[in-house]
Amino acid sequence: VMPPKARRRPRKRSVPARQRHQRRESDRFFRRLVTGMRNGVLAITRDGTLALINDVACETLGLTDPQSQLGRPIADAFRDHPEILFVLADVFQRDHLQNRAEMRLKPSGKVIGYTLSHITDDKGALVGASMFFKDLTRVEQLNERERLRDRLVAIGGLAAVFAHEVKDPLS
């Protein structure tokens, strides 16, 4: 005897094994893509936990193994970097996020250039945020060296003019 239609439960559709395999392979591919980037990458969830961080980010920020950082509250993971916490503090309240900004990390003196992005689910709901960054310390040092060289050239030119003006009346 069949139960009435109102009592029938809809059958759960199971995902075929092939699709599950493809989904796992796709997930592995994207994780390898992020971990292999030459830029620092980190992602946080809406509740403030560290969901992803790659080796370059850990190296730049002086953190230990990326796997040991995952799942930690960002307040713990970045306690030595208040500048990063300050930037990430209001990332979920902003509609427009910073693109191509720079900050100096206080403990190390490193300069990083960064971009922030929101992460949304399939329905468009905000579920997290990401930060991509590059260590610009070497670039900053080269720029400072160039500025110093320009100042020295200007001082040298001024000294030459001054020497000529002093020497000319004497002759």
Side-chain angles (χ1 to χ4, degrees):
V1 176
M2 295 285 290
K5 281 188 174 182
R7 291 186 179 174
R8 284 188 190 166
R9 287 186 181 170
R11 286 179 132 185
K12 285 188 177 179
R13 294 184 181 179
S14 63
V15 178
R18 181 182 173 117
Q19 282 182 327
R20 285 194 309 268
H21 176 72
Q22 287 175 336
R23 200 173 288 159
R24 278 193 306 268
E25 284 301 312
S26 178
D27 186 53
R28 283 188 198 118
F29 174 80
F30 288 115
R31 288 208 177 271
R32 288 183 193 125
L33 176 101
V34 170
T35 57
M37 286 184 157
R38 296 185 310 193
N39 294 341
V41 180
L42 63 91
I44 62 171
T45 60
R46 182 116 193 184
D47 66 356
T49 34
L50 190 60
L52 180 135
I53 188 165
N54 68 355
D55 292 337
V56 175
C58 282
E59 182 182 324
T60 303
L61 300 175
L63 301 174
T64 59
D65 174 49
Q67 293 303 319
S68 66
Q69 302 298 326
L70 299 181
R72 292 180 65 194
I74 59 171
D76 291 342
F78 304 122
R79 74 173 153 261
D80 294 336
H81 299 287
E83 310 82 12
I84 292 179
L85 287 173
F86 180 76
V87 168
L88 295 176
D90 66 343
V91 73
F92 297 113
Q93 284 75 40
R94 296 173 142 219
D95 291 331
H96 181 72
L97 297 177
Q98 292 174 315
N99 188 26
R100 295 179 146 205
E102 291 183 12
M103 77 169 72
R104 183 173 298 276
L105 301 175
K106 298 257 190 293
S108 62
K110 290 181 181 179
V111 176
I112 62 170
Y114 67 93
T115 298
L116 298 171
S117 298
H118 283 142
I119 301 170
T120 57
D121 64 9
D122 293 338
K123 296 176 184 167
L126 185 60
V127 294
S130 63
M131 180 182 212
F132 296 85
F133 58 92
K134 184 89 174 157
D135 186 352
L136 302 177
T137 307
R138 180 86 175 123
V139 174
E140 279 290 310
Q141 289 170 344
L142 292 174
N143 286 343
E144 183 61 31
R145 199 174 295 159
E146 186 68 28
R147 286 191 293 271
L148 179 61
R149 189 173 322 160
D150 290 345
R151 286 193 300 256
L152 289 174
V153 166
I155 290 172
L158 186 63
V161 168
F162 184 72
H164 175 71
E165 292 299 325
V166 169
K167 183 181 173 189
D168 197 31
L170 294 175
S171 55

